[in-house]
Amino acid sequence: WHSLIGCGTIRETVALWSDPKLWLLSLTNFTFGFSGAFINGKINADYTKTELSMSCVGLMMALTACTAALAQRPYRMLADRCGKGIVLCVGAASFLAIPCLA
């Protein structure tokens, strides 16, 4: 794999670390990761499995991905009209609602 990733590519990647936008955007990725882990570990294990069945856990995981895919177009249209800030605020509120509603 050394031939696939050269030292120049690694240097270019590391050079991006000084950009504050990279670190601010990474918080969204961390939030999504923790939210996904919470849904899969807590909600699906404690509620979906006991209330519905073990076979519904996979269905609920797929439903989460489908919801994200379907919500992408309305969020894109909202961002085009109102700016990306409002979409980020709606997304942050959505992430906050997950543990509050659980």
Side-chain angles (χ1 to χ4, degrees):
W1 67 275
H2 268 284
S3 63
L4 296 176
I5 300 176
C7 290
T9 305
I10 294 172
R11 276 193 289 268
E12 291 169 0
T13 303
V14 172
L16 292 173
W17 292 356
S18 62
D19 187 359
K21 289 183 267 185
L22 175 75
W23 295 101
L24 292 172
L25 288 172
S26 70
L27 296 175
T28 305
N29 291 338
F30 288 133
T31 304
F32 181 78
F34 286 124
S35 177
F38 177 75
I39 289 172
N40 290 330
K42 178 72 174 159
I43 303 298
N44 283 341
D46 292 349
Y47 300 108
T48 305
K49 182 178 165 185
T50 57
E51 297 296 325
L52 300 173
S53 71
M54 184 63 183
S55 63
C56 290
V57 171
L59 177 66
M60 294 302 284
M61 291 172 68
L63 184 63
T64 302
C66 289
T67 302
L70 292 173
Q72 182 253 348
R73 183 163 311 274
Y75 282 147
R76 168 81 52 161
M77 291 171 24
L78 183 63
D80 290 343
R81 281 198 181 153
C82 303
K84 293 179 183 177
I86 190 73
V87 175
L88 286 172
C89 289
V90 169
S94 298
F95 281 126
L96 178 65
I98 291 171
C100 292
L101 296 174

